[in-house]
Amino acid sequence: MTMSKGIKFALATAVISGFAVFFNKFAVTKNIDPYQFTTLKNVLVAIVLSSIVLMPMVWRKLREIKRKDWYKLLAIGTIGGSIPFLLFFKGLSLTTPAMAGFIHKTLFIWASVLAIFFLKEKIAKIQWLALGALLIGIGLVVGIKAFTFGWAEIMILGATLLWSIENVIAKKTLSTVDPKIVAWARMFFGSVILLAYLSVTSGFAGIFTLGTTKWLWIGLSVLFLSGYVLTWYHALAHEKVSVVASVLVLASPITTILNAIYKGAILPPEKWLGMGLVLAAVIIFVAHTYYLEKKSPKAHVASLTS
């Protein structure tokens, strides 16, 4: 079975995300303020992507962007690259990592529902079953012991919904704008807003006195985030939102396995069951996408640009 370009990019994004979450845990334990950490890595990624955008081939495309697309790019930077990060980290500081992880990982559900209404995407019955398997699987993987829902969880859910909306806006934008430019806009406009937030809240205190070790961790995060946004937007450019969002759930089992290897721990059966459900669900999405491409290539391509 030959996977589509969109699926390949989505799988690459999932792998990058899985490793990024694992290594970012070490970064935030180095006494780096989470808001400072997010802002610094986003700003540096924006600089990295700016160097790509300034290349002649991409710069030419940037100059040709229409005003309505600039509005979409600004929305992506606001809805995807700034506000949800502030909501998520504030909520994370007030709830358990398991609860925060579970709510965040439900993004594939909200993104799929929004894609049905606003992008006219169709989800087959077997894919609905796969979505259910993903939800149960993620619950087992993150290991929720007590379900709570207060202001902290509302903030994390709000961030997740904003990121879901970003998926839909990005998909629309990618029909006329190069993925590299969309990735740059998300990080550039998002960084401007995050910097403004830090300036208002006096969050710059100590930011210029970070040690070498902390900068090395920030640098590693910059590499991961740069790869993430580039592969993710390329995936969205070539595949449905519902498919990409579902494939990205693979990041959670990857992080779980890396944590177990690092700690030398043996994972309990329920986590293996959860990871099995996630893998099975992703395989269903990939196989069904392959089936549609073979059955009617033109119809599949049309569904990506609707």
Side-chain angles (χ1 to χ4, degrees):
M1 181 177 71
T2 303
M3 291 183 289
S4 69
K5 185 180 293 187
I7 293 294
K8 291 177 181 177
F9 275 118
L11 288 172
T13 308
V15 172
I16 292 172
S17 178
F19 276 84
V21 172
F22 173 72
F23 283 104
N24 282 345
K25 289 181 179 179
F26 295 99
V28 296
T29 58
K30 299 298 179 180
N31 294 321
I32 305 176
D33 179 85
Y35 293 128
Q36 290 183 351
F37 175 67
T38 298
T39 301
L40 281 174
K41 66 185 178 69
N42 283 21
V43 168
L44 291 173
V45 170
I47 294 173
V48 171
L49 296 181
S50 293
S51 66
I52 296 176
V53 170
L54 290 174
M55 295 173 64
M57 290 292 291
V58 185
W59 177 253
R60 191 178 303 116
K61 295 178 181 178
L62 182 69
R63 294 178 60 184
E64 296 172 353
I65 295 177
K66 298 178 180 179
R67 179 180 296 181
K68 64 177 182 179
D69 286 326
W70 277 113
Y71 290 143
K72 294 177 184 176
L73 293 175
L74 180 59
I76 289 172
T78 304
I79 296 174
S82 57
I83 295 176
F85 284 105
L86 299 175
L87 288 172
F88 181 81
F89 279 114
K90 182 61 177 178
L92 182 60
S93 67
L94 300 173
T95 188
T96 63
M99 196 66 208
F102 176 74
I103 294 174
H104 174 255
K105 293 306 178 185
T106 62
L107 187 149
F108 70 93
I109 296 178
W110 313 115
S112 297
V113 171
L114 290 174
I116 292 173
F117 285 100
F118 295 102
L119 300 176
K120 308 303 180 184
E121 287 190 6
K122 295 182 179 179
I123 299 180
K125 292 181 180 179
I126 192 170
Q127 290 177 309
W128 280 112
L129 291 174
L131 289 174
L134 279 176
L135 184 61
I136 296 172
I138 284 299
L140 292 172
V141 170
V142 300
I144 296 179
K145 292 181 171 56
F147 189 89
T148 58
F149 200 79
W151 282 112
E153 290 75 23
I154 289 174
M155 284 187 282
I156 293 174
L157 178 59
T160 303
L161 291 174
L162 286 174
W163 278 318
S164 302
I165 295 171
E166 179 197 8
N167 273 266
V168 175
I169 298 175
K171 182 63 179 177
K172 287 280 190 179
T173 308
L174 287 163
S175 63
T176 54
V177 182
D178 186 283
K180 292 182 285 295
I181 294 176
V182 178
W184 165 80
R186 188 215 203 212
M187 305 313 300
F188 179 79
F189 292 125
S191 295
V192 171
I193 295 172
L194 289 173
L195 284 171
Y197 174 81
L198 283 187
S199 66
V200 172
T201 59
S202 301
F204 285 110
I207 203 170
F208 299 108
T209 59
L210 297 175
T212 303
T213 301
K214 293 179 181 179
W215 278 110
L216 287 174
W217 282 111
I218 292 171
L220 181 61
S221 297
V222 168
L223 291 176
F224 280 127
L225 184 54
S226 298
Y228 177 88
V229 292
L230 285 172
T231 54
W232 175 43
Y233 283 123
H234 276 86
L236 282 176
H238 296 285
E239 195 50 76
K240 293 180 179 180
V241 167
S242 55
V243 175
V244 174
S246 298
V247 172
L248 290 189
V249 180
L250 274 177
S252 187
I254 292 172
T255 302
T256 299
I257 292 173
L258 289 173
N259 279 326
I261 294 174
Y262 174 74
K263 296 178 180 178
I266 299 176
L267 293 174
E270 62 268 19
K271 286 192 180 291
W272 285 110
L273 175 59
M275 290 189 289
L277 287 172
V278 170
L279 181 59
V282 170
I283 289 174
I284 289 174
F285 267 97
V286 173
H288 192 267
T289 301
Y290 173 79
Y291 166 76
L292 291 179
E293 288 178 338
K294 289 299 181 181
K295 180 181 178 181
S296 182
K298 292 184 178 179
H300 179 71
V301 172
S303 70
L304 301 181
T305 56
S306 60

